Amino acid sequence: MHARYLIIGSSHAGREALAAIRMADPQGRLVMLSRERHRPYSPTILPYVVSGRSDPRKVGLGSVAWFAENRAELVLDAQVVAVDADARAVRLADGGCWTYDKLLLATGAEPVVPPVEGLEGVRYHVLRTLDDALAIRARAATARRAVVLGAGLVGMHAAETLAGAGLDVTVVEMRPHVLAEYFDPRASTLIRETFERHGTHMMMGRRVERAAGVETEACRLGLDDGTELEADLLLVAAGVRPALRMLADSGIATDKGILVDTRMRTARDGVWAAGDVAQAPGFPTGAPMVNGTLPEAVEQGRIAGMDMAGDDDLRPYLGGIPLNTYGFFGRHAVAVGAAAAPAGDGVEVVTDEGDGYCRIALKDNRLIGLAAIDRVMDAGILWRLIQRRVDLGPVRDRFLSHPLETARALMSRGWR
Amino acid sequence: MASQDTIRFISERCDGCGDCMTACAKAKGSASRVAIVAGSDGGWEMALCRQCGDPKCVANCPAGALDKHRDSGIVDWFKDLCVDCHLCTVGCVYGGIVFDPAAGHVQKCDMCDGSPACVPACDKGALEHLSAAGRLHEIHADKEDMFVPGLSACQGCNSELLIRHTMRRIGRNSVVAAPPGCIPGMGTVGYNGQTGAKMPIFHPLLTNTAAMLGGVKRQYERKGRDVTVVALAGDGGAVDVGFQSLSGAAERGERVLFICVDNEGYMNTGMQASGSTTFGSWTSTTPVGEIGRGKSTDGKYLPQLLMGHGCAYVATASTAFLDDYHAKLEKALEASRTGFAYLHVHAPCPTGWRFPAAMTTEVCRRQVETNFVTLWEFTPEDGLCFTRGVGRPRPVSDYVGMIGKYKHLGPAELERIQASVHRRVEVLQGFRRRSTAAG
């Protein structure tokens, strides 16, 4: 079977590409392959499925009608196992084959399972798919003690959810701080302390060395400091990595992820990549980075789709900027850009804990990063101020004392 | 997709009083969804949802809790689906969707079901609810477009917009005369034996358009058929070369609708000056150099001359105010059943005037906001009525500064243009009937 546009992956990058292709080419056959049996959904919703806040029947992001309106075909349960960029074809696990004119790899990421002795012999969970979420939810209903390996976004979300479900939760993180990829040590500490106040055990700077099964489904874990933990529910949330396995021998250049340029083109003609699987130029240096956040997947997906369809209005990617929003126990944190950049070497850091926490990092009077807890911030505006390298010199003091209002005024002036 | 309402913020009029925010908070029983913040230059700025056409907040939502409504255009937020992840706020560069700590979730403007509470609360006129596009869409969207797709007008030209709107309203039972100019030049009359229009259209000479149309109309009347005859002429075909036959037809009261689309010059033949070209304009025949400083005389103001003919209906229009144009088109059509109707529509030309193609509507709006263009209508019974107030104009430099053809002008020339704008407004005010003037 042949498609003019073939998209592998059905989450944000794939969806956005699909919509962008249809803006420029209403006709060409457009097929999306998903390895899932469920209709498309966002991995970001999964912690909320675990907690019960989101109904798994209502998390779909692409209705039948939406695909019909876009004249796009969705093929579920289609596991791609190999890409042949010479023949412009992909092979499926069931032996099927699709040929294409233009291919988008939006296959996302898969959980990293750390090398822990005995782990393969015990029952553990990961959280990347809807089935994973449903399995954790089912297990949490009877489990009493949970251990979460990793204090990244997935681990922290899950820990809060499991604590909320009444479990005794321990988080083990080998780095000294939670959410270290987004927040500075002080912000991380504030977040960790909130978890501790809510009764979650936070074991920072520790490593699980051994795992062993005990009777029923529980397991016993041995940490590097000699601590022994027992868990009825073990969640491995030690990060994710781009899902690259299908690319062996494809000639598509990869590093940590699939290397792409500012139009999301890979090293092979007719193949694009976007979202968590891609390693695109980072901001501001252009050094390739995997920036696996939802807003980046949207941005990259749109650019890839526009380029695939030959849309003249395409503006090349300006470079990945880390950013995230994070809610925990009714509090809210936001981190945009190099929010944890240490002071010095031209970087100026201003921290304010007067009314909530706010840490602003400037370089040459330009914003390079901002982290805030319990402070209302327009993350999208801050993102744009960083990306446009807006000179804050004339409003510097106002920005430092009133970042929300000053950033709004700057952007309002820009679009009026 | 339907055209949709929006709320416009006019920063110059805002004094930061915050009444809009109070009204919003009261109407919604929560924190205000519109935020007025101090600007860096002593003025005020606004953060508010723009109900984007391609909303990033929607694309960033993992829960399907945001969706742009197909008809209203409002970006709706669904509390039941929202998981408070705030990724929508990462997508918005307008500060239009914001976490409200008191409510415990994000909030955004929903246009109050079509009558936003903030707008009437502002007695400075700094907020305007722009609903014309939606209303016009409602009325005209299902009518047949009378021109083929792919007319080759320059990028940013508003003439194509204007003639499509006009003929959509008038329909097939019509005959159109398009004398030499941009309108036939973009392919409406057709190329190589093919036509560009679905109604009969012909290409008269510049000099005889109104006379030919008058004759066509009389022949149909003789045959007992009620057909609307319309001229879609440029300023060359009306103000200059076409003026003699236009004046004659107007004087005779021919039952014709004559529309002049005025781009102030012969733009499709190389940007030569016409009688309508305004003072100071660069054109290829009024060059700027060691001696030349653009056109040395003021432009001829044809609508005022047509008023002097005592036509059944005369009006000026701007495509930045399409609802105003449509209202005038209705009156002109009605008037053309008994006498001569004349519409003068201003058509800033990105190619010939040197401004970015994306700015045309903004240029049109600025012409009106500075009184460089005034919007009015005239009937012999009621005299002249302004359809948009001429009080509180912006300085004319706000308009002139947008246009490349004026970029050589110095302060003295700007002053002259400002003076002639004032003078024209005063003259037009003199044409108002005393009864209206008093009111």
Side-chain angles (χ1 to χ4, degrees):
Chain A
M1 284 174 290
H2 182 81
R4 175 154 178 72
Y5 305 100
L6 187 63
I7 297 174
I8 309 179
S10 61
S11 185
H12 293 279
R15 274 173 59 76
E16 202 63 21
L18 189 159
I21 289 168
R22 274 293 173 253
M23 289 292 278
D25 178 356
Q27 302 292 347
R29 187 175 183 195
L30 204 172
V31 176
M32 176 181 273
L33 304 181
S34 169
R35 63 181 173 184
E36 288 276 343
R37 292 179 297 109
H38 304 283
R39 290 198 65 81
Y41 60 86
S42 170
T44 305
I45 201 70
L46 298 175
Y48 306 97
V49 173
V50 174
S51 71
R53 178 158 186 176
S54 292
D55 181 340
R57 290 163 303 179
K58 291 185 182 169
V59 297
L61 281 183
S63 64
V64 174
W66 187 80
F67 278 92
E69 271 164 29
N70 283 295
R71 288 170 305 286
E73 299 157 57
L74 172 67
V75 183
L76 295 177
D77 206 9
Q79 177 92 38
V80 176
V81 291
V83 175
D84 183 344
D86 291 324
R88 297 205 176 211
V90 303
R91 195 156 47 76
L92 305 184
D94 64 6
C97 177
W98 281 88
T99 55
Y100 61 83
D101 293 338
K102 300 177 183 206
L103 173 69
L104 174 65
L105 299 165
T107 47
E110 57 196 15
V112 173
V113 178
V116 172
E117 184 190 324
L119 188 60
E120 68 284 352
V122 303
R123 177 159 178 198
Y124 66 90
H125 293 264
V126 294
L127 181 52
R128 187 66 193 180
T129 67
L130 189 52
D131 287 337
D132 293 341
L134 294 171
I136 297 171
R137 182 161 171 73
R139 182 81 190 115
T142 54
R144 199 167 51 75
R145 301 156 303 175
V147 172
V148 176
L149 296 194
L153 275 175
V154 172
M156 295 293 275
H157 263 302
E160 180 183 346
T161 292
L162 295 170
L167 277 73
D168 181 30
V169 180
T170 303
V171 176
V172 184
E173 165 63 50
M174 59 184 205
R175 288 178 291 186
H177 298 291
V178 303
L179 300 171
E181 59 275 55
Y182 296 111
F183 292 100
D184 59 283
R186 176 67 188 138
S188 291
T189 302
L190 291 170
I191 295 169
R192 176 175 52 78
E193 287 171 353
T194 305
F195 272 74
E196 286 166 347
R197 270 200 302 281
H198 283 82
T200 305
H201 311 290
M202 305 296 290
M203 307 187 71
M204 310 306 295
R206 316 274 180 84
R207 187 189 301 267
V208 175
E209 289 188 331
R210 298 171 312 280
V214 293
E215 72 280 20
T216 69
E217 292 182 13
C219 64
R220 180 176 294 117
L221 303 169
L223 272 55
D224 54 353
D225 64 352
T227 312
E228 297 273 317
L229 294 172
E230 286 207 2
D232 307 312
L233 192 165
L234 173 61
L235 173 66
V236 176
V240 294
R241 66 171 155 239
L244 302 175
R245 256 173 308 190
M246 69 181 73
L247 300 181
D249 309 324
S250 66
I252 294 168
T254 60
D255 174 30
K256 293 193 183 71
I258 302 171
L259 291 164
V260 293
D261 64 11
T262 55
R263 305 171 81 90
M264 302 302 137
R265 295 178 182 180
T266 69
R268 296 301 302 266
D269 274 353
V271 185
W272 285 255
D276 289 6
V277 77
Q279 191 174 356
F283 183 90
T285 61
M289 70 185 280
V290 174
N291 190 14
T293 65
L294 193 163
E296 283 290 337
V298 167
E299 190 81 6
Q300 295 180 2
R302 197 189 66 252
I303 290 172
M306 291 177 84
D307 198 41
M308 290 167 78
D311 192 325
D312 292 337
D313 290 333
L314 183 147
R315 288 193 186 182
Y317 188 57
L318 292 170
I321 295 175
L323 75 170
N324 232 313
T325 54
Y326 173 54
F328 56 106
F329 297 106
R331 305 179 68 183
H332 285 90
V334 57
V336 187
D345 201 16
V347 176
E348 202 182 338
V349 173
V350 180
T351 305
D352 171 14
E353 293 200 38
D355 178 22
Y357 176 79
C358 181
R359 181 186 197 270
I360 299 173
L362 300 175
K363 192 172 186 180
D364 302 329
N365 275 339
R366 284 162 171 82
L367 183 67
I368 61 166
L370 186 150
I373 299 175
D374 295 339
R375 290 271 290 252
V376 174
M377 289 288 165
D378 300 310
I381 292 180
L382 297 171
W383 185 17
R384 200 54 70 92
L385 289 180
I386 294 172
Q387 200 175 49
R388 291 185 178 173
R389 298 179 171 93
V390 174
D391 181 9
L392 299 176
V395 293
R396 197 191 130 89
D397 293 342
R398 268 183 55 74
F399 183 80
L400 292 175
S401 60
H402 295 87
L404 174 79
E405 294 80 3
T406 311
R408 282 180 178 174
L410 284 166
M411 282 310 295
S412 166
R413 204 175 167 73
W415 60 257
R416 258 202 299 116
Chain B
M1 191 189 289
S3 306
Q4 289 135 2
D5 297 8
T6 188
I7 294 171
R8 178 179 177 223
F9 175 62
I10 304 160
S11 162
E12 306 87 86
R13 295 185 187 164
C14 179
D15 65 1
C17 71
D19 286 354
C20 54
M21 294 196 281
T22 310
C24 178
K26 195 169 161 221
K28 294 299 171 193
S30 68
S32 173
R33 291 136 195 226
V34 54
I36 300 293
V37 293
S40 53
D41 51 1
W44 299 91
E45 300 289 347
M46 181 184 71
L48 176 69
C49 173
R50 308 314 300 159
Q51 319 291 350
C52 295
D54 184 14
K56 269 290 218 27
C57 57
V58 174
N60 274 5
C61 179
L66 288 160
D67 198 15
K68 187 170 175 72
H69 194 278
R70 188 170 287 276
D71 298 323
S72 71
I74 306 297
V75 176
D76 290 320
W77 171 74
F78 305 103
K79 189 172 194 299
D80 294 350
L81 292 173
C82 179
V83 294
D84 289 332
C85 72
H86 299 187
L87 284 167
C88 49
T89 70
V90 178
C92 182
V93 297
Y94 303 108
I97 184 159
V98 183
F99 177 57
D100 174 1
H105 51 71
V106 292
Q107 305 265 30
K108 66 176 294 303
C109 169
D110 61 3
M111 302 284 283
C112 296
D113 281 333
S115 54
C118 53
V119 174
C122 179
D123 59 8
K124 319 298 183 308
L127 294 175
E128 275 181 10
H129 180 207
L130 302 181
S131 57
R135 271 187 286 114
L136 292 174
H137 182 87
E138 191 87 354
I139 300 166
H140 298 288
D142 293 335
K143 296 193 180 123
E144 186 181 19
D145 188 347
M146 300 305 293
F147 292 98
V148 296
L151 292 178
S152 59
C154 295
Q155 193 175 38
C157 173
N158 72 347
S159 303
E160 180 176 349
L161 172 84
L162 180 83
I163 63 175
R164 285 189 193 274
H165 266 265
T166 303
M167 294 315 298
R168 225 178 234 273
R169 162 62 188 89
I170 295 173
R172 283 178 179 260
N173 188 29
S174 58
V175 173
V176 172
C182 294
I183 292 170
M186 70 175 79
T188 56
V189 179
Y191 299 119
N192 299 328
Q194 310 240 309
T195 180
K198 298 179 191 169
M199 69 283 162
I201 186 166
F202 71 102
H203 196 41
L205 299 177
L206 273 173
T207 47
N208 65 6
T209 306
M212 281 186 79
L213 263 189
V216 168
K217 177 72 176 181
R218 283 174 186 236
Q219 176 62 9
Y220 277 118
E221 285 175 345
R222 189 171 296 152
K223 293 284 187 188
R225 284 188 57 189
D226 182 15
V227 173
T228 304
V229 299
V230 186
L232 297 175
D235 50 295
V239 180
D240 266 2
V241 193
F243 182 62
Q244 183 274 336
S245 71
L246 169 60
S247 175
E251 182 241 329
R252 292 192 303 276
E254 301 284 355
R255 272 77 60 207
V256 168
L257 169 56
F258 195 104
I259 300 177
C260 172
V261 185
D262 181 7
N263 58 16
E264 302 175 15
Y266 293 86
M267 293 303 160
N268 67 321
T269 53
M271 305 158 209
Q272 298 87 350
S274 78
S276 177
T277 305
T278 54
F279 170 79
S281 300
W282 169 89
T283 69
S284 60
T285 51
T286 57
V288 175
E290 276 178 34
I291 298 164
R293 302 295 296 160
K295 197 178 178 215
S296 59
T297 56
D298 285 319
K300 209 191 282 183
Y301 190 48
L302 193 62
Q304 190 179 323
L305 290 175
L306 266 294
M307 192 162 50
H309 286 68
C311 297
Y313 187 75
V314 178
T316 61
S318 164
T319 53
F321 300 86
L322 269 179
D323 46 346
D324 176 74
Y325 173 71
H326 270 285
K328 287 168 175 170
L329 178 60
E330 292 302 323
K331 292 181 187 174
L333 282 168
E334 187 53 35
S336 74
R337 299 171 69 84
T338 54
F340 197 83
Y342 178 77
L343 290 174
H344 193 97
V345 189
H346 295 272
C349 168
T351 310
W353 296 16
R354 310 296 194 218
F355 62 84
M359 294 300 289
T360 307
T361 300
E362 208 46 49
V363 167
C364 289
R365 196 190 326 278
R366 199 60 68 81
Q367 285 186 315
V368 173
E369 287 175 345
T370 56
N371 281 350
F372 190 87
V373 160
T374 49
L375 301 181
W376 52 266
E377 61 186 1
F378 165 88
T379 60
E381 303 76 43
D382 295 332
L384 182 148
C385 302
F386 288 103
T387 56
R388 190 179 187 280
V390 290
R392 293 201 293 186
R394 297 168 74 127
V396 78
S397 54
D398 282 4
Y399 160 63
V400 169
M402 297 173 88
I403 314 292
K405 70 171 177 171
Y406 295 124
K407 75 169 181 214
H408 56 284
L409 297 184
E413 289 145 327
L414 260 178
E415 216 166 282
R416 171 170 168 173
I417 295 174
Q418 184 67 71
S420 69
V421 165
H422 284 321
R423 199 160 52 241
R424 175 169 300 157
V425 170
E426 280 172 17
V427 168
L428 291 172
Q429 284 170 329
F431 279 104
R432 288 194 298 195
R433 272 172 59 128
R434 289 206 185 285
S435 54
T436 25

